[in-house]
Amino acid sequence: MFIQHSLAWSSLWQHPALLAIAVLIVLVAFYVRAVIGFGSGLISVALLALLFPVKEVVPVVLLLDLVGSVLLGAYDFHEIRWPELRWLVPGSLIGLAVGAFILADTDAQSLTRFLGLFILAYVLYALIVKPEKLPRLSLPWGLPLGTFGGIIGSLYGGGGPPIVAYLQMRHLDKRAFRATFQGIALTDNIVRLFLYIGLSLLTLPLAISFLFLVPPVLLGLWAGNRLHFRIPQRAFLLSTLALLTFVGIQYLI
C-alpha cells in the first residue's frame, strides 16, 4: 500500500525522491506518446496515482498533455484527417462535460474496472481479427466513441482507448493516426482546462508543479519522435495494442 503525498509543489519539493520518480514517469509517458501518438495521459495517471491523489494527478497531467498536443499537433498538422474530427469532436465535448462533473463529485478510482474490461475486450478482439484486418467503421461511429472517450478523458486524464479503437478501425496510417489523435486531444485538453478551473480542480500549487514537469515532456517527445519514423506499420499497430493491454490491466488491479 502506497502512502500518497500531495502533488502540489509545496509538498513535492520536500520529497525529492518522489519528484524524481514523477519526472521519470512523465519522460516515459511522453516518449510513448511521440512514438505511437497517444498514451501519455493514461500512463502518467495510472502510475502517478499510485503516489499522489488522482484528483491532483489528473489536472496536472492535463496541462502536460496540452503541451504534448500542441507540439505534436503543430508538427503533424498537414497529416490530420479532418473528416474524422467532424464526429469525434462533438461527441468528445459531450463526454468531457459529463466526466468532469463525475470527477468533481465521485471517487473516480472506483470506476476504473469497467474501463479496464472495455480496453482488454477490445485488445482481445483486435488480436483475434488482426489489427490490420479490423472491420472498417463508418464516420458516424466517431460520435458515440468520441463521447465515451470524453468521459474517460475527464475521469482518468486520457480518453485514448475508445478513440484509438475508432481510428484503428478507420485504417489510418501511423502518421495520420498520430496527427488526427492530436487534433481531438487538443480539443479535449482545452475544454477540460476550462472545466477543471471552473470546478476548482486545477489550483495554482498544482500549476506550479506542472512547470517543473515540462522538461521531461519535451525530452520524451523529442526522443519518441525519432523512433516514430522508423517503426513499421504493423509494429506500430501491435504497439498500440500492447499499451492498451498495460493500461487495461492497471485499471483492473
Side-chain angles (χ1 to χ4, degrees):
M1 182 71 178
F2 292 95
I3 298 176
Q4 292 190 326
H5 298 271
S6 175
L7 188 53
W9 181 247
S10 58
S11 170
L12 197 58
W13 75 272
Q14 300 180 44
H15 301 89
L18 287 180
L19 176 59
I21 294 171
V23 166
L24 180 60
I25 289 172
V26 170
L27 174 64
V28 172
F30 281 86
Y31 176 82
V32 172
R33 170 76 173 268
V35 173
I36 63 175
F38 78 103
S40 55
L42 293 166
I43 294 173
S44 297
V45 172
L47 298 180
L48 290 175
L50 297 174
L51 305 172
F52 309 102
V54 69
K55 287 189 177 183
E56 295 183 358
V57 168
V58 170
V60 171
V61 171
L62 161 66
L63 294 176
L64 298 174
D65 264 356
L66 182 58
V67 173
S69 297
V70 169
L71 294 178
L72 285 179
Y75 189 81
D76 289 337
F77 183 78
H78 294 295
E79 300 292 333
I80 295 175
R81 298 296 185 263
W82 298 102
E84 312 295 341
L85 299 180
R86 287 204 304 262
W87 294 93
L88 283 172
V89 170
S92 180
L93 294 177
I94 296 170
L96 285 170
V98 173
F101 283 100
I102 293 174
L103 181 64
D105 298 328
T106 309
D107 178 8
Q109 288 173 316
S110 67
L111 306 174
T112 57
R113 288 188 178 180
F114 170 75
L115 175 59
L117 289 173
F118 170 83
I119 295 171
L120 294 178
Y122 170 73
V123 169
L124 181 61
Y125 170 70
L127 288 175
I128 291 173
V129 176
K130 295 185 179 180
E132 64 273 18
K133 295 182 179 179
L134 287 168
R136 184 179 181 85
L137 289 182
S138 60
L139 282 171
W141 274 99
L143 185 62
L145 290 175
T147 301
F148 190 15
I151 293 172
I152 293 170
S154 279
L155 292 177
Y156 311 114
I163 296 171
V164 167
Y166 171 79
L167 294 177
Q168 279 195 335
M169 287 192 274
R170 290 293 296 163
H171 294 274
L172 303 182
D173 64 60
K174 64 178 183 179
R175 186 79 186 277
F177 177 104
R178 188 177 80 166
T180 306
F181 190 91
Q182 305 320 307
I184 186 65
L186 181 58
T187 303
D188 286 6
N189 292 157
I190 293 172
V191 174
R192 284 169 55 207
L193 177 62
F194 286 105
L195 286 171
Y196 288 3
I197 292 174
L199 295 169
S200 300
L201 293 170
L202 180 59
T203 62
L204 181 59
L206 292 178
I208 295 173
S209 295
F210 146 75
L211 293 175
F212 285 89
L213 293 174
V214 169
V217 169
L218 301 179
L219 180 58
L221 291 175
W222 173 81
N225 192 54
R226 293 171 64 87
L227 179 59
H228 175 78
F229 290 101
R230 296 183 175 90
I231 188 171
Q233 181 69 18
R234 178 169 174 76
F236 174 82
L237 292 171
L238 292 175
S239 296
T240 63
L241 295 178
L243 177 57
L244 289 176
T245 300
F246 165 78
V247 173
I249 293 172
Q250 282 291 322
Y251 284 145
L252 286 177
I253 294 176

